[in-house]
Amino acid sequence: MRTEQPKTIYLKDYKAPDYWVDETQLTFELFEDHALVHSRLALRLNSDLHGDGALPALTLHGQELALLKVVLDERELGEGDYQVDDDSLSLQPADATFALALTTRIEPQNNTALEGLYKSGSMFCTQCEAEGFRKITYYLDRPDVMSRFTTTVIAERERYPVLLSNGNPIASGEHEGGRHWVSWEDPFPKPAYLFALVAGDLCLLQDSFTTMSGREIDLRIYVEPENRTQCDHAMDSLKRSMRWDEEVYGREYDLDIFMIVAVNDFNMGAMENKGLNIFNSSCVLAHQDTATDMAFQRVEAVVAHEYFHNWSGNRVTCRDWFQLSLKEGFTVFRDSEFSADMNSRTVKRIEDVTFLRANQFAEDAGPMAHPVRPDSFIEISNFYTLTVYEKGAEVVRMLHTLLGEEGFRKGTDLYFERHDGQAVTCDDFIKALEDANGADFSQFKRWYSQAGTPRLSVTSEYDASRCEYRLHFNQVCPPTPGQPDKLPQVIPVRMALLDRDGKEMTLRLNGEALGTEAVVSITEAEQTLVFENVPTCPLPSLLRGFSAPVKLSYPYSRDDRVFLAKHDPDGFNRWEAAQGLAVDVLQGLVDIHRAGRPLNLDQRLVDVMRSVITDSELDAAMVAEIIRLPSEAYLVEVAEVADVDAIHFAREWLRRALAVALRDDMAARYQALAAAGAGEFSPSASAMADRSLKNSLLGYLMLTGEQEVLNWCVRQFVEASNMTDRQAALVALVNSPFEQQREAALADFAERWAAYPLVMDQWFSVQAMASQPGALERVQKLMEHPLFTMRNPNKVRALIGAFVNQNLANFHAIDGSGYAFLADRIIELDRSNPQIASRLVTPLSRWRKFDDERQALMREQLSRILAEKLSPDVYEVVSKSLA
Ligand code: ARG
Ligand code: ZN
């Protein structure tokens, strides 16, 4: 907790450490009311910094520790021989190499921040990234200090039969009094943030994988006994990830054993600790009875993400936390390409882009906007952001686009070879890509240092007499905190020109034939491309596959968008055109509603929707994406000043109008899909696609209010063979006016799934997101439900997070009740779990987007929070939001 103003840390102040830790030997004695941590460190002066042999003081990080013993080179130190304060231990070494042995006492059972060593239910587990290891023992807790770890865990055998740490098990044995021990050795030097320990009564799913060089790896997923039947999908995803990383990046696994442990109380998704990944159970467990298809895909993606970190993160790690995107941006890019290869590439891209635009663009436009490589922070936990992760992945994707598949691979090969075993920077990554390809990315690197989303405005002219088509590009990046002026960035634009039949024309630029699709690099603030030999005036298909994370504008008419939605040979841009049409229509409706005039339905949107719903050739998942209207969050993001009530009204009005207009086509397709999906459950991509479309149609059809549709919905809820269908029916019922059926379904669901925390999370979320008036009261009542607890991050996200992020109409209620409610929760949570509290500030931080009245109400709540005694986490986000 804050005693004084928290300090800002700057990238420009980076200094290598004074000492290295060559060896780290840890022994944990675990008890119910405390744990003893004995460490023995082999330290060595960093002679690059201190060649003259003068010995600086050694300062180790440490927080919330009771220091019991300090032994320097076999001599026990007295209290006068070292200094301890709130976050460090300092002492004066006498030699350039020396051994330091420490004993600290900690209380994992009272660790509610879930950082360091803590208890989740009856098991012990750790989360050390970014700076959690310092809550275990005093250490050089910084990623550029890499050490070989040996770990011994001692605990009561009865309660904790399974004792795990990084690397390979090397010895085990019994102690008196029913206690036992296991020792683990990790041969790969690693920073402390990759340390992990688990102790518990766990059961195990075991399998094996043979690597490309023929080594057999022991694969283990540890879960609590009742979850043993829900691990197959994670194991299968793991094996596919291992194969994929060999095939696509030439990366082989390096230890003999790879373990995943599922824990219920976890601040994020998962953690890539060397050889011992620790996961939020929501990212491991998946069975058709209890998990939706979306959850299956998330498990696949997160398992892959953490596995891929073994190379992009662990073998090559970050020099300092400003370089976080070095491992996270690259690894998100890797996992999204993996998912694209395992599922539909176009649909995966649509999902990622939708997410980025609704969320990361908003971050880039808000008070916490920061570059992919930030220049400063108060609390690093606040920088595990959409910008570092998702925009960082887009930046790597652009490098991939610019270099091509082969060039990119040459670059990553060089990167892994050159930096194996090192802690490096984003510049080192770029340098390897440059050196392997003879490329120059000096201007491109602005993507790492400039915050904000560039706007790329494009206009065109056709000169029939010269058969020339000119595209004018203009790029502007708006100011962000601390960065008033921006320089032009390299924007790769994948594009084609379409003729009147929707056929791609051959592109000729500066006398060079480029084929029918090209990637052009926009590098100037103003730039014109002149296409030659263009026989008729084309319609441009721009930024295909969202080839750069920018806000593109081109003066398409609604008719142009209809044409592209039907004819663009590029699937992504077909979706993009339909989406653009829907945004345009919705923005029009918002304006009409605000002007107090009656709304009317643009038949062109109906036509586009009808044409895809009735097209049985088109991938059903694509149809589902095309008919999904842009989210309220995205409409808020693209609005100058967002009128949440009007946005909600217009969007609901349009959904209902489309449902009425397309009732028969939707019903026919729904019935066909329901019939085709009846019977045995299938986890295949095409079965998932069918369910996705079917359930999206059901959501629309329920808006007609027809008794017949209600019957279908209730029937689907009761008879569903899987959670995807059951949950979709529940969502449709909960959002419907059929009160009796809604309450019956909720009660039935709760009774049936009370023993399944992850299923109950969905039950909480569905209600938190329901947009009828009175949602806040419902949420407040649900907080008293016996299965709800503020101590479990998944529950907080499921109920509070869902309400404040996904129920805009209710959260932004003009009486300010939603804001006050959230501020109370933030203040309350900050005392137990600052990381989770800090995440919850986001919706309040976006106050500038709203009308004056709401702005004042939101600021009032931010000020109320700021008046409290706060963690650095919440202090940073709230104070920057008000700045
Ligand atoms: N490295 C983890 C991942 O795979 C996330 C760690 C998040 N840590 C935090 N303090 N939020 O993305
Ligand atoms: Zn990661």
Side-chain angles (χ1 to χ4, degrees):
M1 294 295 135
R2 181 159 64 109
T3 40
E4 58 210 70
Q5 195 90 333
K7 249 188 36 233
T8 300
I9 323 266
Y10 296 91
L11 167 59
K12 62 176 165 43
D13 294 339
Y14 172 82
K15 224 179 109 254
D18 291 325
Y19 293 92
W20 302 111
V21 186
D22 292 325
E23 300 280 343
T24 302
Q25 289 172 359
L26 301 169
T27 300
F28 289 81
E29 296 186 70
L30 305 178
F31 301 97
E32 292 317 291
D33 57 353
H34 74 286
L36 295 176
V37 184
H38 310 279
S39 78
R40 195 180 165 80
L41 312 177
L43 288 129
R44 173 171 50 90
L45 181 70
N46 180 353
S47 50
D48 292 347
L49 286 190
H50 304 282
D52 57 356
L55 297 175
L58 169 71
T59 300
L60 302 177
H61 304 106
Q63 277 171 9
E64 297 164 37
L65 302 170
L67 180 60
L68 303 185
K69 197 170 178 180
V70 183
V71 180
L72 179 61
D73 278 332
E74 315 309 324
R75 185 175 78 86
E76 180 161 356
L77 301 188
E79 281 191 17
D81 301 330
Y82 54 83
Q83 291 80 50
V84 174
D85 66 19
D86 276 358
D87 39 37
S88 70
L89 161 67
S90 306
L91 52 83
Q92 183 57 53
D95 290 296
T97 63
F98 56 97
L100 183 66
L102 305 170
T103 298
T104 52
R105 182 187 187 279
I106 53 180
E107 296 188 350
Q109 77 283 0
N110 293 329
N111 180 348
T112 57
L114 313 185
E115 198 191 23
L117 177 64
Y118 66 94
K119 284 203 91 172
S120 174
S122 60
M123 86 172 97
F124 285 94
C125 62
T126 53
Q127 171 53 36
C128 293
E129 186 176 3
E131 298 180 335
F133 192 76
R134 63 188 62 185
K135 293 182 163 186
I136 294 175
T137 181
Y138 289 98
Y139 199 77
L140 284 170
D141 187 8
R142 40 186 292 168
D144 54 355
V145 171
M146 300 172 80
S147 180
R148 270 181 308 275
F149 280 67
T150 310
T151 305
T152 299
V153 188
I154 309 169
E156 195 184 312
R157 175 184 277 286
E158 184 80 9
R159 288 182 204 243
Y160 309 102
V162 175
L163 303 176
L164 309 174
S165 190
N166 315 87
N168 303 308
I170 49 170
S172 61
E174 302 291 326
H175 278 319
E176 261 146 60
R179 294 174 70 78
H180 73 139
W181 60 273
V182 180
S183 291
W184 294 80
E185 182 182 71
D186 182 356
F188 294 94
K190 65 168 176 291
Y193 83 86
L194 291 172
F195 170 79
L197 174 159
V198 169
D201 185 1
L202 302 171
C203 74
L204 149 79
L205 172 68
Q206 198 165 13
D207 206 328
S208 75
F209 177 83
T210 306
T211 68
M212 61 197 209
S213 75
R215 292 172 41 248
E216 178 149 324
I217 314 296
D218 179 5
L219 307 180
R220 302 174 169 212
I221 299 181
Y222 287 94
V223 295
E224 286 170 314
E226 66 269 25
N227 297 327
R228 174 63 178 67
T229 56
Q230 300 180 53
C231 304
D232 294 343
H233 178 63
M235 183 62 88
D236 182 55
S237 303
L238 174 60
K239 290 191 283 183
R240 283 185 282 114
S241 306
M242 295 178 86
R243 187 63 70 219
W244 188 89
D245 211 16
E246 293 184 343
E247 287 171 2
V248 179
Y249 284 85
R251 298 293 114 200
E252 186 176 354
Y253 187 63
D254 46 13
L255 289 161
D256 301 330
I257 175 169
F258 184 84
M259 297 173 283
I260 287 176
V261 180
V263 306
N264 292 328
D265 303 284
F266 205 68
N267 282 348
M268 331 82 58
M271 180 62 213
E272 69 266 22
N273 318 299
K274 184 77 186 189
L276 177 56
N277 289 0
I278 298 182
F279 274 58
N280 187 322
S281 51
S282 70
C283 297
V284 180
L285 306 179
H287 185 280
Q288 71 239 34
D289 294 344
T290 47
T292 61
D293 292 340
M294 226 165 51
F296 269 72
Q297 291 189 334
R298 172 136 172 92
V299 167
E300 177 185 77
V302 177
V303 167
H305 179 96
E306 307 308 333
Y307 175 72
F308 296 155
H309 268 317
N310 191 53
W311 276 96
S312 49
N314 301 2
R315 289 288 287 259
V316 182
T317 192
C318 302
R319 187 193 71 172
D320 55 73
W321 292 120
F322 298 101
Q323 319 296 329
L324 183 57
S325 197
L326 171 74
K327 73 178 178 80
E328 295 303 347
F330 187 21
T331 304
V332 171
F333 172 68
R334 277 150 57 69
D335 84 58
S336 77
E337 283 296 288
F338 167 76
S339 293
D341 283 346
M342 297 299 124
N343 305 286
S344 156
R345 176 162 284 274
T346 306
V347 170
K348 171 65 178 160
R349 190 66 189 136
I350 290 170
E351 289 166 357
D352 285 353
V353 170
T354 302
F355 181 71
L356 184 89
R357 286 203 290 224
N359 301 286
Q360 195 278 327
F361 279 17
E363 181 168 280
D364 245 348
M368 281 292 287
H370 55 277
V372 167
R373 182 187 53 218
D375 303 308
S376 69
F377 57 73
I378 290 177
E379 171 51 61
I380 183 56
S381 296
N382 285 328
F383 286 79
Y384 285 74
T385 58
L386 299 161
T387 300
V388 166
Y389 277 66
E390 273 70 28
K391 185 178 179 181
E394 293 299 322
V395 171
V396 175
R397 181 177 295 279
M398 288 190 284
L399 290 164
H400 183 275
T401 300
L402 292 168
L403 292 173
E405 185 83 49
E406 235 175 89
F408 187 76
R409 171 66 192 270
K410 275 199 273 172
T412 59
D413 281 354
L414 180 61
Y415 169 72
F416 289 125
E417 186 199 306
R418 191 184 267 178
H419 298 298
D420 190 9
Q422 298 178 1
V424 303
T425 64
C426 298
D427 288 334
D428 293 318
F429 178 71
I430 297 285
K431 184 80 167 59
L433 298 187
E434 288 179 330
D435 290 355
N437 290 280
D440 176 1
F441 288 130
S442 29
Q443 184 188 356
F444 184 89
K445 285 210 262 182
R446 288 176 190 159
W447 281 106
Y448 285 91
S449 57
Q450 293 191 158
T453 308
R455 293 166 196 275
L456 184 65
S457 312
V458 189
T459 55
S460 63
E461 253 148 50
Y462 182 63
D463 183 337
S465 62
R466 308 174 64 158
C467 288
E468 261 180 25
Y469 181 68
R470 286 186 283 276
L471 282 178
H472 304 292
F473 293 85
N474 167 276
Q475 62 162 304
V476 183
C477 187
T480 48
Q483 296 189 335
D485 305 304
K486 311 292 168 88
L487 296 167
Q489 292 174 198
V490 178
I491 301 178
V493 179
R494 188 184 294 284
M495 58 159 294
L497 299 179
L498 305 185
D499 70 16
R500 250 166 270 221
D501 303 319
K503 255 188 75 228
E504 292 169 344
M505 299 172 158
T506 300
L507 302 174
R508 282 189 77 80
L509 209 51
N510 307 321
E512 200 192 335
L514 301 174
T516 52
E517 186 185 78
V519 177
V520 294
S521 277
I522 304 305
T523 56
E524 312 288 326
E526 300 274 352
Q527 200 169 330
T528 297
L529 299 179
V530 184
F531 293 89
E532 300 136 12
N533 292 355
V534 183
T536 55
C537 182
L539 194 58
S541 170
L542 298 166
L543 209 70
R544 284 180 160 185
F546 200 61
S547 56
V550 300
K551 293 186 184 175
L552 172 76
S553 69
Y554 177 86
Y556 289 119
S557 67
R558 285 191 188 177
D559 290 328
D560 291 339
R561 294 193 203 271
V562 170
F563 182 86
L564 290 170
K566 290 187 172 174
H567 301 293
D568 195 323
D570 182 77
F572 179 89
N573 269 19
R574 247 185 352 260
W575 167 80
E576 179 73 314
Q579 192 69 180
L581 177 63
V583 170
D584 199 47
V585 166
L586 279 161
Q587 287 177 326
L589 293 174
V590 166
D591 291 342
I592 296 172
H593 177 67
R594 282 169 59 89
R597 298 202 313 268
L599 306 193
N600 62 310
L601 180 59
D602 189 325
Q603 285 305 317
R604 287 169 290 197
L605 186 62
V606 179
D607 288 345
V608 168
M609 301 262 175
R610 178 178 288 116
S611 73
V612 294
I613 291 168
T614 55
D615 182 348
S616 53
E617 300 289 286
L618 200 56
D619 174 9
M622 269 297 279
V623 179
E625 291 300 338
I626 292 173
I627 67 172
R628 173 171 306 140
L629 293 182
S631 66
E632 291 181 7
Y634 183 59
L635 295 167
V636 167
E637 210 290 307
V638 295
E640 209 52 61
V641 176
D643 180 338
V644 258
D645 294 325
I647 286 172
H648 179 66
F649 181 87
R651 189 173 180 281
E652 288 305 302
W653 183 90
L654 181 58
R655 273 172 57 74
R656 188 166 295 114
L658 287 169
V660 170
L662 293 165
R663 194 265 177 216
D664 291 343
D665 294 313
M666 286 182 164
R669 191 81 198 258
Y670 172 79
Q671 298 286 23
L673 289 164
E680 193 77 345
F681 171 83
S682 163
S684 71
S686 80
M688 273 194 205
D690 284 356
R691 280 191 290 275
S692 159
L693 177 55
K694 176 182 68 185
N695 290 325
S696 150
L697 292 170
L698 178 63
Y700 273 107
L701 286 163
M702 278 290 278
L703 301 173
T704 62
E706 291 173 29
Q707 183 66 38
E708 193 186 3
V709 177
L710 175 64
N711 296 343
W712 299 342
C713 189
V714 170
R715 182 156 159 214
Q716 176 170 325
F717 179 76
V718 173
E719 292 177 6
S721 70
N722 59 81
M723 186 49 79
T724 305
D725 288 343
R726 192 180 310 277
Q727 197 241 24
L730 181 67
V731 170
L733 286 168
V734 166
N735 287 288
S736 79
F738 303 109
E739 192 171 337
Q740 188 210 326
Q741 285 83 352
R742 178 207 317 163
E743 297 306 320
L746 282 169
D748 174 272
F749 194 96
E751 196 182 324
R752 188 151 167 182
W753 302 109
Y756 295 81
L758 297 173
V759 183
M760 289 308 288
D761 289 348
Q762 299 177 39
W763 183 80
F764 283 112
S765 283
V766 167
Q767 298 176 76
M769 283 159 35
S771 65
Q772 293 100 327
L776 177 58
E777 288 69 40
R778 184 143 210 156
V779 169
Q780 281 167 319
K781 226 176 107 222
L782 286 168
M783 284 183 64
E784 266 136 49
H785 192 281
L787 293 176
F788 182 81
T789 162
M790 290 291 275
R791 285 293 155 92
N792 175 254
N794 287 354
K795 287 281 175 290
V796 173
R797 282 184 280 257
L799 188 59
I800 321 282
F803 175 69
V804 301
N805 291 303
Q806 321 251 32
N807 195 338
L808 298 191
N810 281 290
F811 172 63
H812 289 282
I814 195 66
D815 62 1
S817 54
Y819 307 148
F821 168 77
L822 177 56
D824 287 341
R825 299 291 79 70
I826 292 168
I827 293 167
E828 172 189 350
L829 255 178
D830 195 37
R831 297 182 192 126
S832 57
N833 190 329
Q835 284 185 21
I836 299 297
S838 175
R839 296 270 146 164
L840 282 179
V841 181
T842 306
L844 284 175
S845 76
R846 304 276 155 79
W847 58 271
R848 281 185 182 80
K849 265 281 162 199
F850 302 94
D851 54 84
D852 294 345
E853 200 175 342
R854 286 188 172 86
Q855 287 200 6
L857 291 165
M858 294 170 92
R859 293 180 51 118
E860 186 187 319
Q861 295 305 326
L862 286 165
S863 305
R864 186 159 74 84
I865 299 170
L866 197 61
E868 297 282 323
K869 185 162 178 266
L870 299 172
S871 67
D873 308 59
V874 171
Y875 172 78
E876 175 168 38
V877 182
V878 173
S879 61
K880 288 182 177 174
S881 296
L882 284 169

